[in-house]
Amino acid sequence: MSFGHGGPSWGPGDAQTPDWAAMADASAARNRRKKWLLIGGGVLATAAVGAIVATAVISTDENNRSAGSGKHASELPAPSDLPNETAEPEPSFSSVAPPPPPNPKDYISSGKKDRAPITADAFFPGKKLTMGGRVYVKGATQQTKNCAATTKGALGSILVNNGCQQVIRATYSKDGVAATIGIAVFETEERAKKAARQSSGSIATLSGAGVPSFCPAGSVCRRTANSYGRYAYFAISGFTNGKSVTTADKNAYAIGDDLTNFTFRQIHHRGELQASAAATAATG
């Protein structure tokens, strides 16, 4: 027997040659079976986990329902046990509206209600008057029941005929101009208005306390007449050197306007004080 050089040699037609195609098919079939087994096991595992979770949820829900019907649920009060009323009193509101505050003008329009003392210092307090940045020095003051004696011309008889009770005068000056204001007191607002409407002549100037005589006879001075409540007030303003006032003399006009505006405020303030006192007494 002779042997060749390299070992066994299988040819295509040899009976001992393996069937390679069959072996490949068998291997592929085995691999497919393993794959389906793995997939099937995963599905079964997922289904098992889902069943466990569902069981846990159902169990928890049942436990919660059991707990709700247990000890804690029994501690909540039944609707019939809740109180229907409280011991605290309910707030009450008055159906009566509070009265309106008193009108200050009511207390300066009639002598029956205007009962506060009337004095020169009450109407013209202090030693100076400041209005709009202008400072006036207060001169002499006077208070008298002889109303006619405080006037010039026809004003005296007008005051007396309307029932003037008294007159308070005060003089102020600044930079060579001066003004005297006179407040005439009447019993009613109607009489004060009538006296102001009928005004003729003027209030007499009041010198002294550092203010020389002004508005001498023959000179022209500015005169005004007003009323508020039961008070009529008259002003005269001019130069302390006797010069006549013209419409161009703004300082002579300013002192008269400032003094009459201040007088109006003082009369109104008198009403405010009495109205406030009346309101306090009513609520006290």
Side-chain angles (χ1 to χ4, degrees):
M1 178 182 297
S2 64
F3 295 90
H5 294 291
S9 175
W10 295 321
D14 199 323
Q16 295 181 356
T17 300
D19 190 348
W20 298 108
M23 293 174 65
D25 292 338
S27 177
R30 287 194 300 269
N31 289 336
R32 284 196 296 271
R33 285 195 298 272
K34 290 180 180 180
K35 183 177 181 180
W36 284 112
L37 287 174
L38 291 174
I39 293 175
V43 172
L44 291 175
T46 302
V49 172
I52 293 172
V53 172
T55 302
V57 172
I58 294 172
S59 299
T60 303
D61 187 57
E62 290 177 350
N63 291 337
N64 289 339
R65 287 198 295 269
S66 298
S69 59
K71 179 180 179 180
H72 296 290
S74 63
E75 293 178 354
L76 296 176
S80 60
D81 296 333
L82 294 175
N84 293 326
E85 298 181 356
T86 62
E88 295 295 330
E90 294 183 359
S92 59
F93 301 95
S94 174
S95 60
V96 180
N103 185 352
K105 193 170 185 292
D106 291 343
Y107 289 85
I108 53 171
S109 296
S110 170
K112 294 180 179 179
K113 297 188 71 173
D114 185 15
R115 309 303 297 172
I118 297 175
T119 66
D121 287 339
F123 282 105
F124 307 108
K127 297 181 179 181
K128 295 180 179 181
L129 171 64
T130 301
M131 295 286 288
R134 296 174 292 275
V135 180
Y136 304 103
V137 178
K138 186 171 76 172
T141 61
Q142 182 198 51
Q143 183 173 359
T144 179
K145 293 182 179 181
N146 186 353
C147 297
T150 65
T151 66
K152 293 192 299 184
L155 184 59
S157 60
I158 292 172
L159 297 183
V160 171
N161 292 339
N162 284 288
C164 175
Q165 297 176 341
Q166 60 178 306
V167 172
I168 301 170
R169 287 189 296 167
T171 296
Y172 290 82
S173 66
K174 178 183 183 297
D175 299 335
V177 294
T180 294
I181 187 80
I183 303 176
V185 185
F186 298 87
E187 179 62 24
T188 65
E189 180 179 16
E190 290 74 19
R191 293 192 176 190
K193 284 183 177 181
K194 187 176 180 181
R197 285 196 305 267
Q198 294 175 345
S199 177
S200 180
S202 68
I203 199 78
T205 61
L206 180 65
S207 60
V211 180
S213 298
F214 59 100
C215 292
S219 66
V220 176
C221 289
R222 187 189 182 217
R223 297 172 296 176
T224 62
N226 299 275
S227 70
Y228 185 60
R230 70 186 189 113
Y231 300 89
Y233 47 102
F234 309 88
I236 182 170
S237 59
F239 292 98
T240 56
N241 62 4
K243 173 187 171 182
S244 291
V245 175
T246 68
T247 55
D249 295 319
K250 295 182 179 180
N251 290 340
Y253 276 74
I255 190 172
D257 291 342
D258 287 342
L259 200 51
T260 54
N261 289 339
F262 176 74
T263 300
F264 167 81
R265 295 180 188 180
Q266 289 297 93
I267 296 171
H268 184 72
H269 183 59
R270 176 182 177 86
E272 289 179 326
L273 293 176
Q274 295 183 85
S276 177
T280 301
T283 59

